[in-house]
Amino acid sequence: MTKTGFVIANLFHKKTRTWLTLLSVVMAFVLFGLLQSLNLVFSAGADFVGATRLVTQSRVSFTQSLPMRMVPEMDAIPGVRSVMYQQWFGAVYQDNPQIFAFAVDPERLHDTYPEWVMPEEHWNAFRDTRTGMIAGKLLAEQYGWKVGDRIPVKSNIFPQKNNSKDWEFELVGIFDGKDDQWRQQTAGSMYINHAYFAEATMFGGGNAGIFVLRLEDPEMAESIATLVDERYLNSSDETKTQTEKDFQVGFIKQLGDIGMIVRWILFAVFFTLLLVVGNTMAQSVRERIPQFAVLKTLGFSDNSVLGFVLAETLALCLIGGVVGLGLATALGAVVAQAAGPMLPIAVDARVWMAGIVAIFVLAVVVGLLPALRARRLKIIDALAGR
């Protein structure tokens, strides 16, 4: 029998216990892969490479609106193809969760987001209908909305001038996404006409929450972002311009310090895993004390015995870790497909490198004490059962 075969045979000498421990390691590394990829998203710096759109918000927070007078100023920036402005409406339909509803200029939305697919006559109706709205395909299917329906919604932010937060809009179009990734985002999206919103709202009609700049050349993204922010530096309306992806990550960060939460979860997972695998290896060594004595009697050195135990621990962690990271890669692709740019996670090479390091560290930490115990065994004491 080869040394590798000997290590594998010892690893599975208690099959049920080994398989249960392997399952624990696999699940731990599935969580590690997904959470580490999420942590990388929230810890990454600004990335303007290949950006086709930029988002400009208030430097303080995206909840603080910016004046509409900035629109023509941004329109005039060289390299900017179109500028869309939008105001978070805070819509609630019946007793259901809040809808992602924004007040926008219909033509600017159409120009800036070609990914939204809708018949041209519906775009024209949205532009020409004062109280018009358009809804995402999945959202419309969820509530059974049809073009021509009048949809009553509440705004939890903006009352009308009559002090009522009850609004009613005519559904003039239903938009879809250009592909599956964008189609998923129609599940909670709707847009209303900003001109009507500005006319009817009690306050905030002359402002927008964010501006979205569609660029002519992605290579100009960083320079345009710098130009915009420098233009309003030291003014009452200082801005922060970033890519769509970075803006969406920042939006999610408003829920809390996601990075810190992820790190604490990872710590809890690996502390638990350390106890589980450590207990397995300690039991395994304790049960095989006579075997190690026989190995030493046959001429294997103390260091060889130590190496066998460490190799067994590494094999356990390596098999479970690689399988877990592989499953995490597949699940991460599914999550990324469903979430789209709102949550651009990927179990990539950086996650795998961190995972491989974690596997070796875990193997050393949980295997070292049992291995040292096996190394220190005295042949006479071990065979005598002492």
Side-chain angles (χ1 to χ4, degrees):
M1 176 181 288
T2 64
K3 291 182 179 180
T4 302
F6 180 71
V7 169
I8 297 299
N10 281 332
L11 179 62
F12 286 93
H13 85 284
K14 292 284 187 180
K15 292 183 175 60
T16 301
R17 183 175 66 198
T18 300
W19 282 113
L20 289 175
T21 305
L22 270 176
L23 183 61
S24 299
V25 177
V26 168
M27 294 307 300
F29 276 91
V30 168
L31 286 173
F32 173 86
L34 294 175
L35 291 173
Q36 181 64 15
S37 61
L38 188 63
N39 190 41
L40 288 174
V41 169
F42 287 105
S43 61
D47 180 14
F48 291 97
V49 177
T52 58
R53 281 187 290 261
L54 299 176
V55 176
T56 297
Q57 65 172 68
S58 167
R59 188 178 184 85
V60 177
S61 168
F62 69 86
T63 59
Q64 182 170 321
S65 297
L66 296 169
M68 294 291 290
R69 61 173 172 77
M70 298 169 69
V71 175
E73 296 171 355
M74 293 183 181
D75 272 329
I77 296 175
V80 175
R81 177 172 176 174
S82 60
V83 178
M84 186 198 78
Y85 51 86
Q86 65 182 39
Q87 179 66 60
W88 173 262
F89 184 68
V92 178
Y93 179 67
Q94 297 177 349
D95 295 326
N96 295 287
Q98 187 166 267
I99 298 170
F100 287 90
F102 297 93
V104 300
D105 178 282
E107 290 185 313
R108 290 179 179 271
L109 173 67
H110 192 16
D111 290 341
T112 308
Y113 280 94
E115 292 87 355
W116 294 139
V117 179
M118 189 168 65
E120 201 62 34
E121 57 267 27
H122 289 180
W123 283 112
N124 294 336
F126 186 33
R127 178 195 64 200
D128 299 334
T129 306
R130 177 172 163 272
T131 59
M133 64 166 273
I134 58 174
K137 185 175 185 291
L138 295 180
L139 178 65
E141 290 176 352
Q142 178 183 354
Y143 296 124
W145 293 347
K146 306 295 182 186
V147 173
D149 290 350
R150 299 198 68 82
I151 311 297
V153 298
K154 291 180 180 290
S155 172
N156 55 21
I157 301 175
F158 297 103
Q160 299 187 62
K161 289 179 179 176
N162 61 7
N163 208 35
S164 172
K165 288 191 175 181
D166 295 321
W167 296 69
E168 186 176 80
F169 303 98
E170 181 183 349
L171 185 62
V172 297
I174 296 175
F175 62 89
D176 201 356
K178 69 170 186 177
D179 53 30
D180 289 340
Q181 188 176 28
W182 281 89
R183 189 169 295 116
Q184 292 296 325
Q185 296 184 59
T186 66
S189 301
M190 64 173 276
Y191 296 99
I192 63 173
N193 197 314
H194 191 280
Y196 170 63
F197 164 78
E199 175 188 322
T201 185
M202 182 179 291
F203 60 87
N207 297 322
I210 63 171
F211 302 104
V212 182
L213 288 65
R214 186 181 178 193
L215 309 181
E216 294 177 350
D217 182 3
E219 298 298 323
M220 300 178 65
E222 188 169 4
S223 60
I224 291 176
T226 302
L227 180 62
V228 171
D229 291 342
E230 287 180 349
R231 178 167 191 158
Y232 299 103
L233 189 64
N234 298 323
S235 71
S236 59
D237 301 302
E238 290 190 338
T239 61
K240 177 182 179 181
T241 303
Q242 54 197 326
T243 65
E244 275 188 305
K245 183 188 76 172
D246 292 330
F247 172 76
Q248 288 156 353
V249 168
F251 182 85
I252 298 173
K253 280 184 177 179
Q254 300 300 314
L255 300 174
D257 190 343
I258 305 296
M260 184 185 70
I261 294 172
V262 168
R263 287 190 291 273
W264 276 107
I265 294 175
L266 285 173
F267 173 79
V269 167
F270 274 91
F271 181 76
T272 304
L273 184 62
L274 186 149
L275 296 179
V276 171
V277 179
N279 181 65
T280 297
M281 293 309 303
Q283 285 185 347
S284 179
V285 169
R286 189 163 53 247
E287 292 167 355
R288 290 183 290 136
I289 285 177
Q291 181 188 98
F292 293 129
V294 171
L295 287 175
K296 292 186 177 185
T297 302
L298 293 174
F300 286 91
S301 67
D302 290 343
N303 288 334
S304 295
V305 173
L306 180 143
F308 281 136
V309 177
L310 285 178
E312 187 178 330
T313 309
L314 178 60
L316 179 66
C317 295
L318 190 61
I319 294 170
V322 170
V323 172
L325 289 172
L327 291 174
T329 302
L331 289 173
V334 173
V335 172
Q337 177 69 20
M342 281 295 290
L343 196 61
I345 70 170
V347 184
D348 55 17
R350 295 172 298 171
V351 177
W352 273 85
M353 288 180 64
I356 296 300
V357 170
I359 288 171
F360 280 92
V361 170
L362 178 65
V364 171
V365 170
V366 300
L368 189 58
L369 287 179
L372 287 174
R373 181 183 180 187
R375 183 183 185 280
R376 290 193 297 263
L377 283 174
K378 302 298 183 184
I379 297 175
I380 295 176
D381 291 341
L383 292 176
R386 295 197 294 268

